[in-house]
Amino acid sequence: MSRDKIVRKAGNLTNAYVYEVGPGPGGITRSILNASVAELLVVEKDSRFIPGLQMLSDAAPGKLRIVHGDVLTFKVERAFPESLKRQWEDDPPNVHIIGNLPFNVSTPLIIKWLENVSQRDGPFAYGRTQMTLTFQKEVAERLTASTGSRQRSRLSVMAQYLCHVQHILTIPGRAFVPKPEVDVGVVHFTPLTQPKIEQPFKLVEKVVQNAFHFRRKYCHRGLGMLFPEAQRVESTGKLLQLADVDPTLRPSQLSVPHFRSLCDVYRKMCDDDPHLFAYNFREELKKNKCKNQEKKGDRESSRL
């Protein structure tokens, strides 16, 4: 059974505390309960699935806790005993996250959790909590893509600078209920003891997002969008030179060490110019568009 496989890939769950997100009809929930866990906490948003989960809970007294709520807002850091907490440098705690989420939730959730990893809060208040999660196969490939590969993306860098990430299994969509149109990739995450980029998450996210903005062009194009138009050419040149990054590399060819250098230099530039981090090129585009429309309106009214 594919559900048993997902649970087996999470590792040894004997006496573990497991947080399952998106249990749905309870297929994976059953497999987790069969793995001799100490306690299983499930968070489900869809009220149609609650009665079925309640039946599973009745059959496993004291093992299954059901929360009718939203995984994006649920505070898991208060859910398990304090005694489970481990130092960040120690082995991972006996807390596991397992999830088979709707695809529209899985990407925003993994970004939120990666930010939690960087701040060592949320599910990672217990230490380096391991996660075994399902994604659309293409997203699983992006999360684990190596430098230079076609699937390399913003997600690859954001996940890999903070975690050891493995695409451990691909399951045909037909094995699931309800049946997705696409195949499913199972990805295992273990937070690293030391992040590969030591800058605030939002700063790393901004640099990486901009770098991949023009996927098919040279990296200097996207990275240039970090800077206001008036200083763009000069500042982009300075960023790339100080970070020792070739401006003619494509975004997918930038490694995590490249991004570390870029983030470190960009951080210094932000420290030197307090307004730089708040700059958003889309807002500047909007303003310019409005100005041009006003000028056009003025010209037309002066003709009348």
Side-chain angles (χ1 to χ4, degrees), residues 47 68 85-86 110 166 169 214 257 271 293 296:
S47 48
H68 184 194
K85 291 188 174 175
R86 294 281 171 275
I110 194 59
Q166 287 171 289
L169 195 61
F214 298 106
D271 289 345
Q293 279 170 344
K296 194 178 163 191

Side-chain angles (χ1 to χ4, degrees), residues 236-291:
T236 311
K238 182 181 169 186
L239 171 68
L240 289 158
Q241 188 188 358
L242 290 174
D244 196 19
V245 171
D246 177 350
T248 65
L249 289 174
R250 309 272 175 198
S252 62
Q253 294 172 304
L254 296 173
S255 64
V256 172
H258 280 138
F259 275 108
R260 181 178 60 226
S261 305
L262 289 165
C263 290
D264 289 347
V265 173
Y266 178 63
R267 168 65 187 266
K268 196 167 180 331
M269 293 169 92
C270 288
D271 289 345
D272 293 343
D273 174 0
H275 302 294
L276 181 57
F277 188 68
Y279 170 73
N280 181 327
F281 76 90
R282 285 193 177 88
E283 284 168 17
E284 186 173 35
L285 278 178
K286 242 188 250 166
K287 275 182 198 156
N288 289 347
K289 207 172 170 187
C290 292
K291 270 185 201 160

Side-chain angles (χ1 to χ4, degrees), residues 2 18 42 70 93 109 115 124 127 134 161 172 181 184 226 236 304:
S2 55
V18 179
V42 299
D70 187 343
L109 185 63
E115 184 164 12
F124 309 95
T134 61
Y161 97 85
E181 299 285 304
V184 170
L226 289 166
T236 311
L304 294 172

Side-chain angles (χ1 to χ4, degrees), residues 100-148:
N100 174 29
L101 286 160
F103 294 143
N104 62 332
V105 180
S106 57
T107 306
L109 185 63
I110 194 59
I111 288 292
K112 174 181 148 64
W113 277 343
L114 288 169
E115 184 164 12
N116 289 143
V117 171
S118 78
Q119 293 167 348
R120 302 182 184 183
D121 60 12
F124 309 95
Y126 301 99
R128 294 184 301 118
T129 301
Q130 296 179 79
M131 304 186 278
T132 306
L133 304 169
T134 61
F135 297 90
Q136 194 170 331
K137 183 174 158 235
E138 284 72 16
V139 177
E141 286 169 350
R142 270 182 234 146
L143 282 161
T144 54
S146 55
T147 308

